[in-house]
Amino acid sequence: MNNFELFSMMFFELDFVFEKQTVKDDFLAMYLSEINPFLWTDCTSSDPAHFSRFENFMAGKTVGEDFGYSLIAEFLKSEDFYSCARDYFLSISKEDFAEHAKKFLYSPHKC
């Protein structure tokens, strides 16, 4: 799994949680709009600074058996302004994340 695929998985999982919310969290909505990896045709986020920070975070790291679940959780810990994102991400089990990642990786996607 490359960095963009892992970043996309982070977006998918957070968006999944957001869509299930009865009362939408404005901070999560804003974060999702800024990290959206599908706004542009290239492999970045709607606000490219977010993907750039993610790539810097991933330097020297490799995705392990958990399909990057622990790396995303660690990255989200550094998102001070959007600290709610980590709690929402952790509401998804590692097993569900792994299943979602497998489906994503075996389906057509960019980058």
Side-chain angles (χ1 to χ4, degrees), residues 1-11 13 54 57-58 61-77 86 89-90 92-102 104-105:
M1 182 179 298
N2 66 40
N3 289 347
F4 186 76
E5 289 169 331
L6 186 58
F7 187 83
S8 297
M9 280 302 304
M10 178 178 72
F11 173 81
E13 296 302 295
F54 186 78
F57 168 81
M58 287 298 294
K61 295 178 175 73
T62 56
V63 174
E65 292 179 12
D66 68 354
F67 289 89
Y69 182 93
S70 57
L71 290 170
I72 292 172
E74 186 180 339
F75 172 74
L76 290 173
K77 197 187 297 186
R86 184 170 191 267
F89 179 77
L90 292 175
I92 298 166
S93 72
K94 286 182 183 180
E95 294 77 19
D96 286 345
F97 179 80
E99 287 304 311
H100 298 163
K102 288 175 194 174
F104 172 69
L105 290 172

Side-chain angles (χ1 to χ4, degrees), residues 46-62:
S46 49
D47 177 347
H50 286 283
F51 184 62
S52 179
R53 267 198 329 275
F54 186 78
E55 284 194 302
N56 289 338
F57 168 81
M58 287 298 294
K61 295 178 175 73
T62 56

Side-chain angles (χ1 to χ4, degrees), residues 5-87:
E5 289 169 331
L6 186 58
F7 187 83
S8 297
M9 280 302 304
M10 178 178 72
F11 173 81
F12 281 137
E13 296 302 295
L14 290 172
D15 188 55
F16 175 76
V17 171
F18 180 76
E19 290 301 321
K20 288 185 358 182
Q21 291 178 336
T22 309
V23 177
K24 305 296 186 190
D25 182 310
D26 291 338
F27 281 104
L28 183 56
M30 196 170 8
Y31 188 59
L32 286 168
S33 72
E34 292 177 14
I35 68 168
N36 184 339
F38 304 107
L39 184 61
W40 310 117
T41 56
D42 60 347
C43 297
T44 190
S45 52
S46 49
D47 177 347
H50 286 283
F51 184 62
S52 179
R53 267 198 329 275
F54 186 78
E55 284 194 302
N56 289 338
F57 168 81
M58 287 298 294
K61 295 178 175 73
T62 56
V63 174
E65 292 179 12
D66 68 354
F67 289 89
Y69 182 93
S70 57
L71 290 170
I72 292 172
E74 186 180 339
F75 172 74
L76 290 173
K77 197 187 297 186
S78 69
E79 294 289 87
D80 293 333
F81 187 70
Y82 296 114
S83 60
C84 65
R86 184 170 191 267
D87 293 334

